[in-house]
Amino acid sequence: MATPDDARETPYARAIPRPTAGPLVAAFGVAMLFAGIVTNVGASVVGAVALVFGGVIWFREVMPDEAVEPIEATGGQTVVTPPPLPARDAPSRRLLLPVEIHPYRAGLVGGLAGGAAMAVVAAAWGLVEHGSVWLPINLLAGAVNPGMAAMGEPELAAFDGGWIAIAVGIHAALSIMTGLLFTVALPMMPRRPMLFGVVVAPVILSSLSWSTMGIVNPAMEEFISWPWFVGSQIAFGAVCGAVISRVEKVPTMAALSTSERLGIEQSEVGS
Amino acid sequence: MAATSDATVDPTDGATRRDAVEWRPSRGKVGVASLIAMESFFFGTFIVAFLFYIGKDVHGPTGATALDVGPVIVWSICLLSSSATVVAAVKALARGAKAAFEFWMGATLLLGGAFVYGTAVEWRGLMLDHELFISTNLFGSTYYGLVGFHAFHVVLGLLALGMIWTLSKLGHLRAVDAEKVELVSWYWHFVDVVWIFVFTSVYLFGTGIL
Amino acid sequence: MTTLPTTPAETVADRRAEPLSARLHLWAITVDHKRLGIMYVLSGLVFFLVGGLEASAMRAQLARPGNDLVSPEVFNQLFTMHGTTMVFLVGMPVLLGMGNYLIPLMIGARDMAFPRLNAFGFWLFLFGGLLLYYSYIGAQGLYGTSAAPDVGWFAYAPLTDRTFSRGNSTDYWILGIMVSGFGSIATGANLVATILCMRCRGMTLMRMPLMAWMMLVVGVLVLTALGPLTAAQVMLLFDRNLGAHFFDPQEGGSAILWQHFFWFFGHPEVYILILPAFGFVSEIVPTFSRKVIFGYPLMVAATVGIGFISLSVWAHHMFAVGLGPVLDAFFSAMTFMIAVPTGIKIFNWIGTMWGGRIRFASPMLFATGFVAMFVIGGLTGIMLAMVPFDWQVSDSYFVVGHFHYVLFGGTIFAIFGALHYWYPKAVGRMLNETIAKWSFWLLFAGFNLTFFPMHISGLLGMPRRIYTFQPDRGLELWNLLSTAGVPLQAAGVLLIVWNLLRSHRKGAIAGNDPWDAWTLEWATTSPPPEHNFDEPPTVGSRRPLWDLKHPEDPDGRYE
Ligand SMILES: [Cu+2]
């Protein structure tokens, strides 16, 4: 069967191997050979005989040439023409990335606006429950001053310029960062931005805060009122989401090829 | 229809190409290489056990007291040189030199047989003079386990080579079968290479020479 | 032109229309990868039912504290046989069998590289399994009664020593697993050779279906892992039958060395069991998301990476032994590292589903169930990779919960997904979709009900492998919940079995390509002819059937 030309051909290109009992008999022999160790020597003897017998059958199948039988064509039915398919309703979706996002500027503005709304709610809480607008501000500053946990309520409710500066800094930074996160996350829920702003984000942020508050800010943990806290998160989400989703989207370069991104090729998108 | 001259339509761009059959590795070679890989890990495990247990025996005899490296070097040279003779045999068969093939294959069988004889002599000495058995101590267990399995593989190789030699004597071996014989020779080389590791572990580390 | 030595008198068609005995004879002497694959899967399923029965008996025993449904001795046999069966007689054969059936079809070959070796491997597995189960009748236990092995599926020394394991049931464990291990080695080598050497024209390595890549790595892992296992088992056999001292501490032997040898096999084994499942999911998810697989080259790289790293994490099973800080830190770090390529795969499957038009047919249900459950199992795995945490929960039900999320929620779910996906190809008829959905949801609910509470009972201190537990330790509820999940799972599994049986005759005719899929196996008839393809195919991309169906938009351009 093997000529120098055929040697390079894929095995079984024109024939398939012939069935043989050799492997079955040989495998039975191996199993019995070992089974003899735990049963009795007779089994091993039977196994050895079967192994040799099966081996000889097997050897004669492959030597000097492999025994094969011809392929019986099944009437050209084997390789199909494709089944009728419903027309594809969209261009093929090999890659799906948000091709338009809100500009980061929107996140900056939205974050600050949301932060302001949040501050209003927090101040209201201070006034209504503790009679001081300074309390929530001082508590926020407690994130950098662990000693604050030991202070009493009168001290915490008093005005202190330094603490206000720190609190405003923390609050602005966190608000801007969250606003930027919003710009990235909102395009993934293109149809209902407010759902994300009012429900999803507040739930995620509140539960994050709830689980870490004791470590991050023990002072606040002591005073915090969770309903008000969640309310302030919702205020943030609603305002921030509303601001961001109003800003016009800009296209990303994600849909462009590498050469287009490098400016080697010009394309419509982004110009 | 000869597969080598088929013109095919490349589904990528619809162009008609006359490409040769693409190269694929030989399945025999890949199969034997796989077997060798598996066996390497098998022997590796026995070698690790041997090295790990050097010096951990609670009573003798040990490699340092019982093993005699001198004769083993002689038998090792027999085994290692049989790698060269089997290469000569395969080359002879490939160019159709039947007599040369049988000569070199016969030499391989003799050299391999000498090695097995050497092992048998060594074991006899260990059992009679040193009363070392597999159940004696850790050294006995690991030594007989490792060297025994190697000897077992040498015997399997000798059986395969002996069968080829017999087939050739009976006139059933053709030049095209050189590839199959080469595959068996790969196995034989493997058995030799393993011996280098076994020798280093048992007769150099195990005796305290290294 | 060359001449083919053939048997013209007895051709394929003649053999088909013969009486039952003749047809059975055909199955016995077959070397056809498709028949062997089916036999692998069928015998694997039978062992799966047996192993499931053993698990159910254990859960029944543990339903309430102080139960005496089974004796401690029987309980030891149950968990030993359950673990051994599920790993060696279910996981390996079903996965290797599926590879056997699918790989030649997927790469456009007529058969495996070594068809006779393939048959040899299957029969070795089957006889090895039967030898193991013969221990229930033939083995000599402690009091001379018949007894199955009872030393755990890992058979730790020195429990396996002649002194502690009287009779020969442990020898049955060694020999049964060793014989079926020879079969796995044969099939592993066969897979490697098939995938490297038998690809059709145009099927470059980087055009292979991902499943072929995964099976290639599995083949290599089988070759590297089974050698040490066989060697260690031989040593144990020598210890027990020839009086050797490999693992005998009284003579200076080391029980820890057995653990090293066993887990050097045992951890790659986990990947042998999960990589084919990854392969199934990587085929099913794109088809039912109507998208190409996300990040093909990265998937290939991650698969190969897993293959390498999985060889150097074994001692994370041995943290409780006290290996010392250096080894603990090394194996802990390596274990964290293997989470990276595994995580890449998870994200790529999600990336494939993302934005796709997902059809939740039964294979896709199982595939998504796989992804979710495997993530849970993977995360608890990372928890266990932390040495201090592992010290706390090692050998507790937390570990049992962890690896069942990996091997049941992972591997078995993927296997069932694959069965539902490829059954129409192998049989020519569709499975009943309603039954399939019922079985999925029953299995899913039952699985979580059984195995999630195990994490909690484990954290509360419930140890593994005990036949009963004390009341008033807060364990009653969690154990009861675990047991309550069993009937649901049993119903799910039985529904699947029934579906497989009834659809064989009653299912709707499948046609060649019922799922509108893209890999080569769907190009031939269902079931395929003995020679797979009338003409050896030629492919030009990773999705040859896409090219065939959309000549105006061939895939090769995008790869
Ligand atoms: Cu592991």
Side-chain angles (χ1 to χ4, degrees):
Chain A
M1 173 191 173
T3 65
D5 250 335
D6 283 331
R8 291 167 60 232
E9 192 175 88
T10 321
Y12 311 126
R14 295 178 233 170
I16 50 174
R18 187 173 69 182
T20 165
L24 169 63
V25 177
F28 178 75
V30 172
M32 287 303 275
L33 195 63
F34 284 102
I37 299 175
V38 277
T39 50
N40 68 62
V41 193
S44 289
V45 174
V46 172
V49 172
L51 179 57
V52 171
F53 188 58
V56 169
I57 302 177
W58 190 339
F59 186 81
R60 294 176 65 94
E61 283 291 303
V62 289
M63 297 287 169
D65 286 308
E66 205 177 330
V68 289
E69 52 188 29
I71 288 169
E72 226 179 87
T74 40
Q77 265 293 316
T78 323
V79 178
V80 277
T81 45
L85 283 177
R88 299 172 71 82
D89 54 300
S92 76
R93 301 190 178 196
R94 288 166 200 288
L95 187 69
L96 200 99
L97 289 171
V99 287
E100 288 192 319
I101 56 165
H102 301 288
Y104 292 123
R105 176 173 38 85
L108 204 85
V109 177
L112 287 174
M118 194 176 181
V120 170
V121 177
W125 166 68
L127 265 182
V128 174
E129 302 232 318
H130 299 275
S132 160
V133 286
W134 310 119
L135 180 75
I137 299 174
N138 288 338
L139 283 179
L140 181 55
V144 294
N145 181 9
M148 204 171 252
M151 291 184 191
E153 186 172 338
E155 270 178 288
L156 283 171
F159 171 83
D160 185 320
W163 290 135
I164 289 186
I166 291 174
V168 169
I170 294 177
H171 188 55
L174 282 176
S175 298
I176 290 172
M177 262 158 58
T178 316
L180 290 174
L181 270 178
F182 264 58
T183 47
V184 181
L186 271 181
M188 295 182 193
M189 303 191 96
R191 264 161 250 149
R192 294 193 191 79
M194 291 316 279
L195 175 74
F196 181 78
V198 180
V199 181
V200 180
V203 166
I204 296 175
L205 291 173
S206 300
S207 40
L208 259 181
S209 313
W210 183 76
S211 52
T212 55
M213 191 61 84
I215 303 159
V216 177
N217 194 336
M220 197 186 274
E221 165 111 87
E222 222 171 281
F223 283 92
I224 200 158
S225 149
W226 287 106
W228 279 90
F229 185 84
V230 174
S232 72
Q233 296 287 355
I234 293 177
F236 179 94
V239 172
C240 181
V243 170
I244 293 175
S245 59
R246 282 219 170 97
V247 178
E248 194 80 15
K249 287 185 183 176
V250 293
T252 64
M253 297 208 290
L256 306 188
S257 70
T258 315
S259 54
E260 283 168 327
R261 279 191 234 184
L262 289 171
I264 297 166
E265 255 178 71
Q266 200 67 42
S267 82
E268 299 296 306
V269 195
S271 57
Chain B
M1 184 167 67
T4 38
S5 60
D6 260 1
T8 52
V9 178
D10 189 330
T12 325
D13 50 11
T16 305
R17 298 230 165 76
R18 295 175 74 82
D19 45 7
V21 171
E22 285 168 6
W23 180 84
R24 299 280 182 259
S26 137
R27 57 180 165 147
K29 286 181 179 168
V30 174
V32 172
S34 300
L35 176 76
I36 288 175
M38 189 280 290
E39 291 267 40
S40 310
F41 278 87
F42 178 87
F43 275 108
T45 310
F46 269 94
I47 290 175
V48 166
F50 183 89
L51 294 174
F52 182 79
Y53 283 138
I54 291 177
K56 297 220 167 62
D57 274 307
V58 288
H59 51 80
T62 64
T65 60
L67 291 180
D68 184 5
V69 186
V72 179
I73 290 177
V74 177
W75 304 124
S76 302
I77 290 171
C78 287
L79 185 66
L80 296 184
S81 53
S82 74
S83 252
T85 55
V86 84
V87 169
V90 172
K91 285 203 169 144
L93 182 64
R95 60 164 200 270
K98 209 161 169 302
F101 166 75
E102 277 163 18
F103 171 76
W104 287 117
M105 193 52 96
T108 310
L109 286 172
L110 284 179
L111 288 167
F115 176 82
V116 176
Y117 172 75
T119 306
V121 169
E122 188 189 22
W123 282 24
R124 190 186 135 88
L126 285 172
M127 288 179 191
L128 295 185
D129 304 340
H130 295 276
E131 301 214 321
L132 179 76
F133 300 94
I134 193 167
S135 57
T136 305
N137 58 6
L138 274 178
F139 171 68
S141 303
T142 51
Y143 167 82
Y144 283 113
L146 178 55
V147 175
F149 262 103
H150 180 265
F152 175 62
H153 280 72
V154 174
V155 170
L156 286 185
L158 283 177
L159 281 178
L161 295 175
M163 212 151 74
I164 291 170
W165 188 78
T166 316
L167 281 176
S168 173
K169 278 283 175 201
L170 295 174
H172 291 313
L173 212 61
R174 306 154 301 178
V176 286
D177 293 327
E179 200 190 321
K180 292 170 191 163
V181 178
E182 193 191 347
L183 290 178
V184 179
S185 82
W186 280 20
Y187 174 82
W188 189 252
H189 293 316
F190 164 74
V191 170
D192 285 5
V193 171
V194 168
W195 180 249
I196 297 176
F197 286 96
V198 173
F199 181 84
T200 314
S201 309
V202 175
Y203 296 94
L204 299 183
F205 285 109
T207 53
I209 291 178
L210 274 181
Chain C
M1 192 63 216
T2 52
T3 50
L4 305 172
T6 58
T7 49
E10 188 199 17
T11 54
V12 185
D14 294 339
R15 283 195 237 114
R16 213 162 272 149
E18 278 176 33
L20 182 67
S21 61
R23 272 184 288 149
L24 282 182
H25 175 68
L26 266 183
W27 283 90
I29 62 167
T30 189
V31 293
D32 179 1
H33 72 99
K34 296 181 290 298
R35 283 171 178 254
L36 289 166
I38 290 172
M39 288 199 285
Y40 261 121
V41 173
L42 282 182
S43 26
L45 281 180
V46 170
F47 281 121
F48 179 71
L49 295 180
V50 175
L53 272 180
E54 286 154 358
S56 309
M58 281 190 281
R59 279 315 328 163
Q61 160 69 14
L62 291 172
R64 56 190 180 83
N67 208 356
D68 54 3
L69 186 71
V70 299
S71 65
E73 292 80 18
V74 171
F75 192 86
N76 288 355
Q77 296 172 7
L78 283 175
F79 72 68
T80 302
M81 292 299 275
H82 169 73
T84 309
T85 304
M86 289 303 190
V87 170
F88 293 100
L89 307 180
V90 179
M92 296 253 269
V94 172
L95 296 168
L96 293 179
M98 292 233 160
N100 230 302
Y101 190 98
L102 292 169
I103 291 299
L105 285 167
M106 283 183 158
I107 62 173
R110 292 222 195 279
D111 209 313
M112 298 283 276
F114 309 108
R116 294 163 198 85
L117 187 68
N118 201 16
F120 186 58
F122 166 74
W123 293 112
L124 279 175
F125 142 68
L126 187 64
F127 292 140
L130 293 179
L131 178 57
L132 178 68
Y133 266 91
Y134 181 69
S135 65
Y136 268 112
I137 309 164
Q140 310 266 292
L142 180 52
Y143 306 109
T145 52
S146 63
D150 56 0
V151 287
W153 85 281
F154 39 77
Y156 272 1
L159 268 184
T160 47
D161 205 281
R162 260 260 183 269
T163 324
F164 305 109
S165 173
R166 315 294 296 174
N168 59 12
S169 63
T170 302
D171 299 304
Y172 271 92
W173 180 85
I174 298 172
L175 295 169
I177 298 311
M178 204 156 77
V179 170
S180 77
F182 294 152
S184 306
I185 290 168
T187 307
N190 216 337
L191 278 171
V192 172
T194 305
I195 294 169
L196 291 182
C197 313
M198 306 289 284
R199 283 166 288 136
C200 68
R201 191 180 304 182
M203 182 68 76
T204 58
L205 284 175
M206 288 309 274
R207 278 185 193 156
M208 292 196 305
L210 275 176
M211 161 128 175
W213 266 106
M214 314 260 176
M215 293 309 292
L216 177 62
V217 175
V218 167
V220 173
L221 283 181
V222 167
L223 292 174
T224 47
L226 270 282
L229 176 70
T230 309
Q233 286 183 320
V234 168
M235 294 176 196
L236 186 57
L237 198 65
F238 285 176
D239 272 13
R240 290 181 55 83
N241 292 284
L242 301 177
H245 305 290
F246 284 99
F247 309 114
D248 173 10
Q250 297 223 303
E251 287 279 336
S254 165
I256 309 292
L257 191 66
W258 168 268
Q259 294 195 21
H260 277 294
F261 287 162
F262 185 83
W263 290 115
F264 184 82
F265 148 80
H267 190 84
E269 172 70 14
V270 174
Y271 283 89
I272 292 170
L273 293 175
I274 200 72
L275 277 175
F278 289 174
F280 302 152
V281 173
S282 303
E283 300 302 323
I284 294 172
V285 165
T287 301
F288 290 94
S289 303
R290 314 309 302 150
K291 279 174 70 194
V292 291
I293 187 86
F294 183 91
Y296 176 96
L298 210 58
M299 284 295 251
V300 172
T303 308
V304 177
I306 286 176
F308 276 110
I309 305 176
S310 74
L311 291 174
S312 51
V313 299
W314 76 88
H316 63 207
H317 297 267
M318 303 164 58
F319 286 150
V321 161
L323 298 172
V326 178
L327 283 183
D328 281 354
F330 171 77
F331 284 104
S332 175
M334 292 308 283
T335 309
F336 285 129
M337 242 164 77
I338 208 164
V340 176
T342 315
I344 287 174
K345 285 176 186 286
I346 303 279
F347 281 114
N348 281 4
W349 292 319
I350 297 174
T352 309
M353 292 184 214
W354 189 276
R357 278 174 295 160
I358 299 179
R359 297 180 291 177
F360 274 111
S362 48
M364 186 62 171
L365 273 183
F366 278 105
T368 36
F370 161 89
V371 175
M373 297 302 97
F374 180 75
V375 165
I376 296 178
L379 290 178
T380 49
I382 294 173
M383 293 164 77
L384 288 168
M386 295 184 278
V387 181
F389 183 81
D390 185 86
W391 283 346
Q392 287 300 316
V393 299
S394 185
D395 275 332
S396 80
Y397 263 78
F398 187 88
V399 177
V400 180
H402 152 69
F403 69 72
H404 279 91
Y405 267 83
V406 173
L407 293 178
F408 193 153
T411 304
I412 297 289
F413 270 51
I415 286 176
F416 283 148
L419 271 183
H420 285 80
Y421 185 54
W422 281 293
Y423 182 89
K425 175 52 61 188
V427 174
R429 287 172 187 272
M430 305 295 287
L431 286 172
N432 181 302
E433 193 63 15
T434 317
I435 304 178
K437 290 207 163 122
W438 271 98
S439 41
F440 169 76
W441 286 111
L442 278 171
L443 202 58
F444 188 79
F447 165 77
N448 280 292
L449 186 56
T450 294
F451 294 105
F452 194 81
M454 287 187 182
H455 294 101
I456 301 169
S457 56
L459 288 174
L460 291 175
M462 170 104 180
R464 285 172 80 172
R465 307 180 201 111
I466 54 165
Y467 81 104
T468 191
F469 56 98
Q470 301 289 311
D472 303 323
R473 304 264 169 106
L475 299 170
E476 289 95 330
L477 173 67
W478 307 114
N479 275 298
L480 189 63
L481 285 178
S482 288
T483 304
V486 172
L488 294 181
Q489 295 186 66
V493 170
L494 291 179
L495 270 185
I496 290 177
V497 170
W498 183 54
N499 201 1
L500 293 174
L501 293 177
R502 77 169 277 290
S503 303
H504 182 61
R505 295 208 178 280
K506 293 194 189 148
I509 300 291
N512 295 358
D513 183 17
W515 308 114
D516 188 11
W518 299 308
T519 35
L520 268 184
E521 74 270 27
W522 305 103
T524 182
T525 51
S526 309
E530 239 180 313
H531 52 273
N532 292 351
F533 305 97
D534 275 1
E535 281 295 317
T538 301
V539 300
S541 78
R542 284 173 204 147
R543 297 194 299 170
L545 261 69
W546 170 275
D547 296 345
L548 204 63
K549 295 168 192 171
H550 304 272
E552 76 294 343
D553 182 26
D555 239 17
R557 264 185 226 164
Y558 303 93
E559 282 167 5

